[in-house]
Amino acid sequence: MKAEGLSINMEPAPPPEYGKIKVGDLQLESGIVLPDIELAFERAGKSGGPVILVCHALTGNQFTVGTAKQPGWWHGLIGPEKYIDTNQFEVITFNVLGGCSGSTGPTSINPVTKKPYQTDFPKLTIRDIVHSQVLALRKLGINEIKAAIGGSLGGMQILELAITYPDFAKVIIPIAVTPYLSDYGIAFNAIGRNAIKRDPAWKGGFYSEEDRIAGLEIARMIGMVTYRTGKLFNKRFNRELKDGETFQVESYLNYQGQKLSDRFDANSYLYLLEAMDSHDIGRGRQGWKKALGHITAKTLLLGYTGDLLYPPEDVKEIAEALMKAGKEADYVEVKTDFGHDGFLAEFPKWGGILQAAL
């Protein structure tokens, strides 16, 4: 997996750096000014090397590369002598605005009330999230980057970045994302939202740390069904029973729900779902095809077979529209049983495609 042209004597990259960037006040699309925001980040790879911005998905975080003891969610793709080689590139990931892994969000202290914002936190859009990250990069002294890569919610950010800041990234790789979230996708998000909001423990969003939000666990279970394919579920669980009573697939979904509930904030989940629902690169830009005209970066789009939420044919349509507009664009469909979650698995199938694009 070693990137071609690299010297074997190249000094290895240092361990990832973690911290927070104080961005300052941010005016949101709604017109509300969010004061004193900060973004938590991971900065991995060669200091001073070409910068690659990675944007994470809904329940992701800034721990993209991670460490040997705690590998990040893309550690199989990014690292020393991997497909995105941190001996060559500097890779930066921010926890999104509205997240709950150190960036300003519903769990942060409201400077006015001196209590956590919770549902007093203002509504966010993908564009707000992108603006905050560009400002944070500029605080780091970075005014242009080699590439921007992300899947799902991350892919939404990549498209918005390339349209809003057309000269910022030379290459963009939006993965498993469409120009706008479909009604089908919004429908599943609505079910997840209802599961959380109808849970009495949610308390209108003003719950305590001790409250167990079972609705969040159910929302995660719903999400997991849409992230994978029926073929993968059938192959993996094969109607097997656990302890002779519960189906293995049911046990798996319960585990995934509890696991997310232990590490993720229910309000952050709701705010980010709403930001995803509002995703439409054509909003206020005379439609999504007109919006693509602002993109100047070389573009590679990846779609995954069986993706229920972001069908590969819809991802391909973006590439076709870009090429029709005279832009440099390409599309690759990755054949997988993982469906939407394909961008978090089977890296040997598609990691080399990213490597070549960079």
Side-chain angles (χ1 to χ4, degrees), residues 194-261:
N194 272 278
I196 294 170
K197 290 186 173 182
R198 295 187 185 190
D199 182 347
W202 183 62
K203 300 176 182 176
F206 294 96
Y207 46 85
S208 69
E209 289 184 8
E210 291 74 32
D211 289 319
R212 175 175 172 254
I213 315 297
L216 176 60
E217 297 176 21
I218 296 170
R220 179 61 165 179
M221 292 165 72
I222 294 163
M224 290 303 298
V225 174
T226 68
Y227 300 154
R228 305 286 175 87
T229 65
K231 184 177 181 180
L232 185 71
F233 270 75
N234 294 336
K235 186 188 300 183
R236 178 170 180 179
F237 300 108
N238 196 32
R239 291 183 53 84
E240 290 181 2
L241 292 172
K242 183 177 181 179
D243 302 324
E245 296 179 0
T246 307
F247 282 103
Q248 286 282 10
V249 66
E250 185 179 356
S251 177
Y252 168 77
L253 291 175
N254 283 327
Y255 167 75
Q256 291 294 338
Q258 292 167 12
K259 183 179 174 183
L260 182 73
S261 183

Side-chain angles (χ1 to χ4, degrees), residues 11 74 148 213 330 340 356:
E11 184 177 344
W74 252 0
I213 315 297
D330 198 6
H340 184 61

